[in-house]
Each structure stands twice: as structure tokens, then as C-alpha cells.
Amino acid sequence: MKKILLVVLMFALTISLFSQEKKEVRIPTLGELAPSFTAESTQGEINFPEDYFNKWKVIFSHPSDFTPVCSTELIELANKQEEFENLDAKIFVISTDGLNSHLEWINSMESINYKDRKTPKINFPIISDVNMQVSRLYGMIHPYENSTHNVRGVFIISPDNHIRFFCFYPTNVGRNIDEILRVLIALQMSEKEHVLIPADWQKGDDFLLHSPGTVKDAEALKAKNDPDIYSLAWYLWFKKRK
Ligand code: BEZ
């Protein structure tokens, strides 16, 4: 009897250890070098991020081809792909489905009139990741949500190949492509103008300056009478958008 109990206990322990290991997710964090991979896509082999040095890169992961939410997301992405191009950003879509499925799905989406607009030709590659190698590398598989398909992840990667932004949406809620564009523009502006970006910032709004640190430093800044900056409190300074 003791032996049977011991075997059952060992079995339960092994199962529990195995399932814990399966649920471990490692997401590349902000500032980290983007993990490298080579993968097949609808536009041929992708060597990421090395082949795209000096360009902004935006990766969208999605759960499954021929599904309703994913289809609306990719159609919206196609409608706005030119805006990404104008920001010198390259779009990559990734799922754990295969290449043939991706190609058939692209054909189908290009024939759909969503919100009375004809879907433009989809110019961005869809990566096939049937063995989940890339999805795992980027922490896109969230096993408590789904252990074999990606959640809706977005990574924005800078021209020097570092992770600058990431977010995850659940399977049942589609992403807002305009918000991703807003973050991309905000990141680019922040770097170019050496400014911070306030809450709910939209293109055309003023920027934030780093806090002067002390009331005395704020008074010194005020004494400069710079017409391009103004403050609402000693720690809250804005730079006018030109
Ligand atoms: C969708 O995109 O609609 C979807 C994807 C996976 C599971 C359920 C829905």
C-alpha cells in the first residue's frame, strides 16, 4: 500500500512540475536587444532583426488565421500600412499557422470590403511559426490563455534593434492600430526632440520637458524667458510643438 501511495505521489509531483514548466513565459523587456530569429514568411526568409537595422520594426502576433478578430486587425493594418512606411517602420505579422494558410488568408482578406473600404494589397510579411520557436522567444504564448496559439502581442523595436514598447491584448479584443501608430510617432518624437510625451498626447500637442528637479532650478529656467517653453507648476514644464 505504501509503495502504491509513493508511486502516486511521485506521479502527481512530476505532472505538477511539468505543468509549471510549461506555463513559464519569458517576455523580452524594454531596452533589451530584440531576440534574433530566422523564419519563413509569405515574402520569403526573414532574418530578424539584423536585416532591418536602421529601420523601426513593429511585430504583431495573432492567434489564428481565418478568425474574425484577427481578420479585422490585419485589414485595418493593411489600410494603415502606408502610414507605417512613412514613419520608416516595417510591419511583421506572426502566427503559429503555416505558410499556405497565411497565403490563402491574405487572398481572402484582399477580397473583403470591410467598413465599405476595399482592402488594399497586403504588403507586409506574415511569418509562419508552426513550431512556436519565435512566439516563445518573444513571450507571445500565454499558456493560461492558450498553450498553442499566440495572444495579440505588439513589439516596437528601434532602428538599433532594441525593444522600445510592448503590449498584449487578449484573444477576444482586437487592437487599436491608431494607438500603435500614436506610440510609434511618440517614441520617434521623444528621441528626436529630447522631450517626454504627456498622457493622451496626439500629433500636434505640446511636449513635456524633464522636471528641473528643484524649485530653484525651475526659477532659473523661468528667468531664461524662453518663448518656446512654459510651466504649470515648478515640476511641470512644456515645450511648444512647432
Ligand atoms: C479571432 O481572431 O476572432 C479569434 C482568434 C482565436 C480564438 C478566437 C477568436
Side-chain angles (χ1 to χ4, degrees):
M1 187 62 181
K2 259 188 181 171
K3 260 189 184 168
I4 295 177
L5 263 176
L6 200 66
V7 170
V8 170
L9 203 67
M10 296 266 286
F11 183 70
L13 196 68
T14 312
I15 295 283
S16 137
L17 280 175
F18 178 73
S19 56
Q20 270 176 21
E21 191 184 328
K22 211 181 80 182
K23 287 181 169 31
E24 260 175 35
V25 179
R26 156 93 177 105
I27 299 165
T29 52
L30 296 180
E32 201 173 317
L33 202 58
S36 298
F37 64 83
T38 300
E40 284 306 319
S41 85
T42 50
Q43 295 182 357
E45 192 176 270
I46 305 254
N47 291 304
F48 192 91
E50 287 75 13
D51 284 358
Y52 306 92
F53 190 76
N54 269 345
K55 270 190 102 63
W56 286 86
K57 297 158 275 288
V58 186
I59 308 182
F60 288 83
S61 66
H62 74 88
S64 217
D65 296 359
F66 296 101
T67 48
V69 180
C70 294
S71 302
T72 57
E73 286 184 323
L74 260 64
I75 290 171
E76 287 301 353
L77 205 48
N79 279 313
K80 291 179 177 145
Q81 60 196 341
E82 254 181 56
E83 291 179 49
F84 284 89
E85 275 162 37
N86 292 340
L87 293 165
D88 203 23
K90 171 108 182 126
I91 298 170
F92 299 85
V93 172
I94 176 163
S95 89
T96 56
D97 288 328
L99 270 191
N100 285 343
S101 164
H102 287 346
L103 288 165
E104 282 177 29
W105 188 34
I106 286 176
N107 269 338
S108 169
M109 285 185 290
E110 286 177 347
S111 72
I112 290 173
N113 286 334
Y114 177 54
K115 293 185 178 168
D116 290 331
R117 289 164 306 176
K118 186 178 167 359
T119 308
K121 196 171 156 14
I122 291 175
N123 289 332
F124 46 82
I126 307 186
I127 293 168
S128 160
D129 190 34
V130 281
N131 58 11
M132 298 193 272
Q133 186 198 335
V134 182
S135 305
R136 290 224 164 92
L137 200 59
Y138 276 80
M140 292 161 172
I141 305 268
H142 294 194
Y144 291 99
E145 178 95 346
N146 190 320
S147 57
T148 54
H149 291 84
N150 288 327
V151 290
R152 304 183 191 283
V154 182
F155 285 83
I156 300 183
I157 296 162
S158 59
D160 67 354
N161 296 345
H162 287 79
I163 310 273
R164 293 288 175 232
F165 167 88
F166 68 85
C167 73
F168 290 99
Y169 273 46
T171 306
N172 54 343
V173 179
R175 285 158 284 196
N176 184 325
I177 308 303
D178 282 334
E179 169 60 6
I180 307 305
L181 275 165
R182 188 190 77 91
V183 175
L184 178 61
I185 294 167
L187 282 167
Q188 294 184 350
M189 285 294 182
S190 174
E191 282 190 15
K192 188 171 154 235
E193 304 277 339
H194 306 289
V195 289
L196 303 171
I197 307 297
D200 296 338
W201 179 86
Q202 293 292 340
K203 226 168 127 184
D205 289 350
D206 292 343
F207 303 119
L208 279 171
L209 292 180
H210 285 272
S211 165
T214 64
V215 174
K216 204 171 159 219
D217 289 343
E219 278 164 4
L221 194 57
K222 202 170 191 170
K224 287 186 180 166
N225 281 325
D226 183 341
D228 293 333
I229 63 174
Y230 63 96
S231 70
L232 298 182
W234 68 264
Y235 52 85
L236 193 57
W237 285 79
F238 291 84
K239 180 177 177 183
K240 291 180 193 165
R241 178 76 200 276
K242 284 181 194 141

